Amino acid sequence: MTATGYYLLASLSLYATKGADNIAAVWPPSGYFLALLLLMPERARSAAFIGMALASIGANMGAGIGAAVAAAYTVANAVEAVIALQLIRRFEGAEMSFMAPRAVGRFCVAALSASVASAFMATALTANSADFFLSWMTTVALGMLIVTPPIVMLARMVGSNALSNVTTAMKVEAVALMALATLITGVSFAQSEYPVTFLPCVAVIIASYRLGPFGAAAGMLIVAAIASLLTAQGHGPIAAIAAGQKIEVLFLQFYLVTMLFVALPLAAMLVVQRRLAQRLEQSNRWLLQAEAAALVGHWRVDLNAWTITWSDQTYRVHGLTPGMPVDVDYSVAQYLPEDRAEVQKVLAEAVRTGEPFVYQGRIRRADGEIRHVKSHGSIEKGRRGKAVGIFGTVQDVTETVENARILESARSAAERVANTDMLTGLPNRRHTLAILDEALRAARHDGAALAVAIFDIDHFKQINDNHGHAAGDAVIRRVGQRAKTSLRDEDLVGRFGGEEFVCILQGRSARAAEMVAERVRKAIEADGRTSGVPRVTISIGLAVFAGEGSAEDLLQRADKALYLAKREGRNRSRMAA
């Protein structure tokens, strides 16, 4: 079987699809032989290699290749089979699967590695050029990548009787899809007037979607066979390329590789997606069963007799011993006064409309503990559509409510930390910029006045050098607090970094902003006399919004004014032009 199949495929390939250096555009015998090695028992491989060698030498010599070169080609093909087989066994063990994307990727790695090694050996044994190496590598790799998967999958489906479980409709669909791929590929490559090489890709993708990896592999095999045969005979869009035969072969190989690397992984991922969908469906069934077994109490109100029935779990939710007599009024009275009216309103509306309901409230249990409970229910109707009962469930959701409260508190705390400068307690740079962006949008939209002030501490480095960083930190804290207390509630001061601060003065004209800046400057200048920290002064740069497109533009103007204040002697404020 090995010798016959290998000889026929090699002879046909050499005859029908020759490329540069007498190398076929695709070398199917490599894929055929690798597939047989993967399927056959280990004890049969030695005989298979002998059959392959005889068939290879015979086919090559029959094509006019000398005995020595034919032997070199055969050795290279044998080496590639050994390397590919060993890598696949190492990656996948005894069973090579094409149903998982990872397995498909590993198979591609094994095939490409084996083809590179084979090309090196064939080139070295025949003293050929780099072009020969590239041509050999691509043809051998395509042969394994295209031919091996459909043979292996088909053989395993037959061997496992999987085909017997396939419906007749699916078999008919599979045959129809393969016939469609054959027809489309034949039409596309039988003419060169229209560049429709994309149509076979569509056929292969459809086969991949409907038939999975086998559809992708079989479709690729059909496209490769027809495209190679017709292109070699001078037909089709690729043969019409205004280039030499070598370019045509390389373009055909590129076309097949691209389609292959789309179709096989896509089919494998579809298999994974379908398996995940099945698992999800099964998980949903298990979830429903778990919900049925969950400790959720139920209750029923008879509207005619005005009585209520509780399950044992409902008693436990309310902190009572199962079986104790309860009535409707008692059930409602368990809710805290601020929630009771809402519960009564929900129930009355449900009875009036007949619609399902849900409500959540707090109850005071018999032991005095307050718990959060949630109820779902529906209205039972009599023959004439009149409400005759209310059926509902009750569940203690105290932990859920408490966890939500803790989570919200943690989120708020995290947000405060993320927006706050840890040294001064003022808004940090990020939060200050965010507030300034909002103020700019309001100023552009409403035409409101807006000014910003940038100030930093004069000669701050000397404070750190002379008094230490602890004193420097104390100065930064005191400056930030004095600036904050000197502003209105609607104004904001944030620490921008180091000893630099930014004030956002909303609704302030240029004159008002200058007055505020001077008030801040004087407050900080006077503060050091009594605060126990080194006396400091600040320099301030002011800028009034004048239609700037961004906060950075406005801050840049204020920053220039700050440097002007420093050049003029510090401990002063200056307004930007």
Side-chain angles (χ1 to χ4, degrees):
M1 184 176 180
T2 301
T4 303
Y6 197 100
Y7 179 84
L8 292 175
L9 287 172
S11 299
L12 180 62
S13 299
L14 290 171
Y15 171 77
T17 57
K18 286 189 177 181
D21 297 316
N22 242 14
I23 301 298
V26 179
W27 190 243
S30 295
Y32 174 77
F33 186 46
L34 178 58
L36 293 186
L37 292 176
L38 290 171
L39 293 169
M40 69 176 58
E42 188 173 353
R43 64 180 181 275
R45 289 174 185 157
S46 298
F49 273 95
I50 295 173
M52 169 265 178
L54 295 174
S56 177
I57 293 173
N60 280 286
M61 292 182 66
I65 300 173
V69 176
Y73 289 173
T74 300
V75 171
N77 288 136
V79 167
E80 87 204 10
V82 172
I83 293 175
L85 181 64
Q86 292 303 316
L87 288 176
I88 291 172
R89 286 285 181 258
R90 181 175 181 181
F91 289 155
E92 298 300 320
E95 289 288 331
M96 174 65 213
S97 170
F98 295 94
M99 300 297 178
R102 180 177 295 180
V104 172
R106 288 174 173 174
F107 170 74
C108 293
V109 170
L112 293 173
S113 301
S115 64
V116 171
S118 174
F120 269 118
M121 178 160 289
T123 305
L125 292 175
T126 58
N128 264 299
S129 64
D131 286 344
F132 174 89
F133 169 84
L134 178 62
S135 182
W136 181 285
M137 181 190 69
T138 53
T139 55
V140 167
L142 280 171
M144 288 188 286
L145 292 171
I146 292 174
V147 177
T148 300
I151 295 177
V152 172
M153 284 188 280
L154 181 60
R156 287 185 176 155
M157 284 191 290
V158 173
S160 63
N161 292 323
L163 291 177
S164 60
N165 297 325
V166 178
T167 63
T168 303
M170 180 60 72
K171 293 177 181 177
V172 171
E173 182 181 8
V175 172
L177 288 174
M178 294 302 103
L180 178 64
T182 303
L183 177 63
I184 290 177
T185 306
V187 172
S188 299
F189 282 87
Q191 55 82 41
S192 58
E193 184 176 359
Y194 301 102
V196 289
T197 51
F198 64 91
L199 290 178
C201 302
V202 176
V204 171
I205 290 176
I206 292 174
S208 303
Y209 181 78
R210 295 298 302 160
L211 304 179
F214 177 74
M220 274 302 309
L221 184 58
I222 291 171
V223 172
I226 297 175
S228 300
L229 179 62
L230 293 178
T231 301
Q233 300 303 317
H235 303 293
I238 294 178
I241 296 175
Q245 190 179 24
K246 183 188 298 185
I247 299 300
E248 294 175 12
V249 171
L250 288 175
F251 191 89
L252 175 61
Q253 291 172 337
F254 175 77
Y255 171 78
L256 294 175
V257 166
T258 303
M259 190 187 306
L260 178 76
F261 283 172
V262 171
L264 274 182
L266 173 64
M269 286 188 288
L270 284 173
V271 170
V272 173
Q273 185 266 339
R274 287 165 184 164
R275 288 176 178 171
L276 289 175
Q278 291 174 352
R279 291 178 184 174
L280 179 60
E281 183 180 357
Q282 185 181 55
S283 298
N284 286 336
R285 289 198 300 269
W286 288 346
L287 178 60
L288 291 175
Q289 293 173 1
E291 288 177 348
L295 299 177
V296 177
H298 68 267
W299 49 268
R300 182 183 182 276
V301 173
D302 187 328
L303 294 176
N304 294 323
W306 199 240
T307 59
I308 189 169
T309 304
W310 282 2
S311 68
D312 289 351
Q313 183 61 28
T314 302
Y315 278 101
R316 296 188 184 98
V317 169
H318 287 79
L320 297 174
T321 302
M324 290 183 59
V326 293
D327 56 27
V328 177
D329 294 334
Y330 175 82
S331 299
V332 176
Q334 291 286 91
Y335 286 90
L336 298 186
E338 50 268 37
D339 296 339
R340 192 179 306 154
E342 181 63 23
V343 171
Q344 292 173 326
K345 179 181 177 181
V346 170
L347 291 175
E349 183 67 14
V351 172
R352 187 184 68 82
T353 62
E355 297 294 325
F357 61 88
V358 58
Y359 59 82
Q360 183 171 319
R362 294 163 297 168
I363 63 170
R364 187 180 299 277
R365 289 163 40 109
D367 56 9
E369 184 179 1
I370 295 177
R371 307 291 291 182
H372 293 262
V373 296
K374 190 172 186 178
S375 287
H376 295 261
S378 58
I379 303 300
E380 297 179 5
K381 296 182 180 180
R383 294 181 179 179
R384 298 181 180 179
K386 181 182 178 181
V388 296
I390 308 175
F391 180 84
T393 61
V394 61
Q395 185 177 17
D396 190 328
V397 294
T398 304
E399 291 185 5
T400 302
V401 172
E402 183 62 20
N403 289 339
R405 186 193 64 78
I406 294 173
L407 184 62
E408 176 61 23
S409 177
R411 187 197 64 77
S412 299
E415 186 175 345
R416 286 195 300 272
V417 170
N419 292 333
T420 303
D421 175 62
M422 300 306 295
L423 178 62
T424 62
L426 299 175
N428 58 18
R429 181 188 185 95
R430 184 180 70 87
H431 192 41
T432 301
L433 285 174
I435 294 175
L436 181 55
D437 284 335
E438 292 179 4
L440 278 173
R441 283 193 293 270
R444 282 193 291 265
H445 184 268
D446 302 331
L450 173 65
V452 295
I454 298 180
F455 68 86
D456 65 10
I457 302 170
D458 296 330
H459 305 295
F460 182 73
K461 184 176 183 303
Q462 295 178 10
I463 297 173
N464 277 335
D465 293 342
N466 297 332
H467 300 278
H469 289 284
D473 289 347
V475 167
I476 290 174
R477 281 193 296 269
R478 289 295 298 173
V479 166
Q481 291 304 312
R482 290 303 297 166
K484 182 179 180 181
T485 57
S486 300
L487 298 176
R488 302 175 304 175
D489 291 341
E490 56 266 35
D491 295 330
L492 176 137
V493 59
R495 186 184 178 197
F496 224 51
E499 72 276 18
E500 190 174 56
F501 297 80
V502 169
C503 295
I504 301 174
L505 309 174
Q506 300 190 58
R508 299 283 194 175
S509 63
R511 179 58 183 160
E514 288 178 335
M515 294 174 63
V516 171
E518 188 63 17
R519 185 168 68 244
V520 171
R521 186 192 66 78
K522 290 181 178 180
I524 292 171
E525 181 183 24
D527 185 60
R529 299 169 184 169
T530 58
S531 63
V533 297
R535 181 179 179 275
V536 296
T537 60
I538 62 172
S539 299
I540 306 175
L542 288 162
V544 176
F545 174 67
E548 282 81 4
S550 68
E552 288 75 10
D553 294 337
L554 184 59
L555 289 172
Q556 188 175 16
R557 289 180 54 225
D559 197 51
K560 290 180 179 179
L562 170 62
Y563 280 98
L564 177 62
K566 286 181 174 294
R567 285 197 302 269
E568 293 183 359
R570 293 184 172 84
N571 192 22
R572 65 197 65 213
S573 63
R574 289 292 179 266
M575 177 67 72

